[in-house]
Amino acid sequence: MNIYRYEENPLITPADVKPYHDGFEVIGAFNAGVAEYNGEVLLLLRVAERPISNDPMIVKAPVFNPETQQLDILEFRTDDERYDFSDPRVIRNVNHSGTFEYLTSLSYIRVARSKDGHRFTIDDKPLVYPTQTLETFGIEDPRVTQIGDTYYIYFSAVSPVGVGESMVSTKDFVNFTHHGMIFGPDNKDVLIFPEKINGKYYALHRPTTKSTGNPEMWIAESDNLLYWGNHKHIAGLREGMWDSGRMGGGAVPIRTEKGWLELYHGATLDHRYCMGALLLDLNDPSKVIARSNQPIMEPEADYEKNGFFGDVVFSCGALVDGDVLKMYYGVADTSMACAELSVKEILDSLTYL
Ligand code: MAN
């Protein structure tokens, strides 16, 4: 697989983003959704900001308060034995293993704009910021599907009652309609197909199940993009392989002659995130035709291996120009990068089932 990583990588780093909140630092500008609007490439960055702590014994947790529309900042002592601070992203209660109590940063969506897809200018203010009780821990990992002249932007809405997928829509990136939560908790990695198939809208999604099952890929259909049904499980984890721990959709599905090409992320149980692909039937996208046995991209560059949470390549959007696929991707839960791959080479690399 030929992969051309841009020389400018990482294209956007936290140092390029001015904090929106006083007394905070930007620790991540990553996992961006991608859109083309008015002749520009827009990256809808997940910006993560953290309250600065001057005391190494204190870990702070920012929480959006829907009543005041401000952030509350909670403080925890690192020697408090009720909590586990070993994962820098979260504060866990030692008695509830698996779940987390608080996040150490708050994420929201901010836009970076570019004429050439390489050099970006970052807006001063958020594009989509928490407003509701289901978003008090932040909004994360946006994806964008353009249908006609409407852009549907959907993201993980994180709060103490769970992580679900909520959606807003806009025609101009100024005025928004909030459609509420379209996939209830726990669910992430929703990808809405860019056109109807046999009269229905389709979306990939990734429930996290607690009774039986694993974090794997599902598909659902809808008449109106808001109410989703006829859920089907389409692809699962593979023991001993690069996608043995968790998996979820990445970029908006791309129509090719051979089928819908879905770039997805897979991780091992020790959290090494790679990108691979699924090929779905053009007429019935619940049918998986082919899949990557080997990742199409793995964390290799220094900026992919090292960062806030290292060994992560995680794409939320790509642009296609003929055979050239420009995959924008978050690196190490810290920054944004881009790489060009050949659509044909990806398709040729897949193993048919
Ligand atoms: C995981 C990671 C974090 C994220 C939380 C909540 O722990 O993906 O980056 O903030 O889930 O979604």
Side-chain angles (χ1 to χ4, degrees), residues 46 89-90 100 103 140 158 163 188 333:
R46 167 181 175 187
R89 304 174 300 180
V90 297
F100 62 82
L103 295 180
E140 306 178 345
V158 189
V163 184
K188 280 185 169 183
D333 279 9

Side-chain angles (χ1 to χ4, degrees), residues 41-212:
V41 177
L42 304 189
L43 292 184
L44 278 71
L45 299 168
R46 167 181 175 187
V47 170
E49 294 195 13
R50 169 169 81 184
I52 293 170
S53 175
N54 294 316
D55 179 346
M57 292 292 287
I58 304 274
V59 175
K60 296 182 178 178
V63 182
F64 175 74
N65 182 332
E67 270 165 36
T68 59
Q69 296 280 307
Q70 303 282 328
L71 297 184
D72 296 333
I73 297 170
L74 312 181
E75 298 199 350
F76 297 84
R77 287 189 58 87
T78 52
D79 55 6
D80 187 334
E81 285 172 1
R82 291 171 300 169
Y83 297 104
D84 167 5
F85 301 95
S86 58
D87 181 335
R89 304 174 300 180
V90 297
I91 299 168
R92 281 185 218 280
N93 183 318
V94 290
N95 295 321
H96 308 155
S97 63
T99 62
F100 62 82
E101 298 271 286
Y102 291 101
L103 295 180
T104 53
S105 63
L106 181 114
S107 295
Y108 60 86
I109 304 172
R110 198 144 141 190
V111 177
R113 300 163 195 270
S114 174
K115 294 243 182 280
D116 63 6
H118 290 245
R119 286 164 301 154
F120 286 85
T121 312
I122 300 159
D123 286 2
D124 285 337
K125 295 226 164 73
L127 181 79
V128 190
Y129 189 83
T131 52
Q132 329 208 328
T133 51
L134 295 178
E135 300 170 351
T136 55
F137 288 170
I139 59 187
E140 306 178 345
D141 302 348
R143 273 80 169 191
V144 190
T145 299
Q146 183 182 355
I147 301 178
D149 60 357
T150 305
Y151 294 82
Y152 295 91
I153 302 168
Y154 37 98
F155 44 81
S156 305
V158 189
S159 78
V161 294
V163 184
E165 193 85 1
S166 292
M167 183 165 81
V168 300
S169 64
T170 183
K171 287 184 195 292
D172 54 11
F173 289 90
V174 178
N175 300 300
F176 289 87
T177 308
H178 200 304
H179 301 285
M181 191 167 271
I182 56 169
F183 285 91
D186 268 3
N187 209 313
K188 280 185 169 183
D189 302 324
V190 170
L191 273 315
I192 297 176
F193 286 66
E195 58 189 78
K196 280 186 171 173
I197 301 161
N198 294 321
K200 298 274 185 201
Y201 293 109
Y202 281 86
L204 303 170
H205 64 107
R206 206 288 303 275
T208 306
T209 59
K210 289 235 165 68
S211 42
T212 70

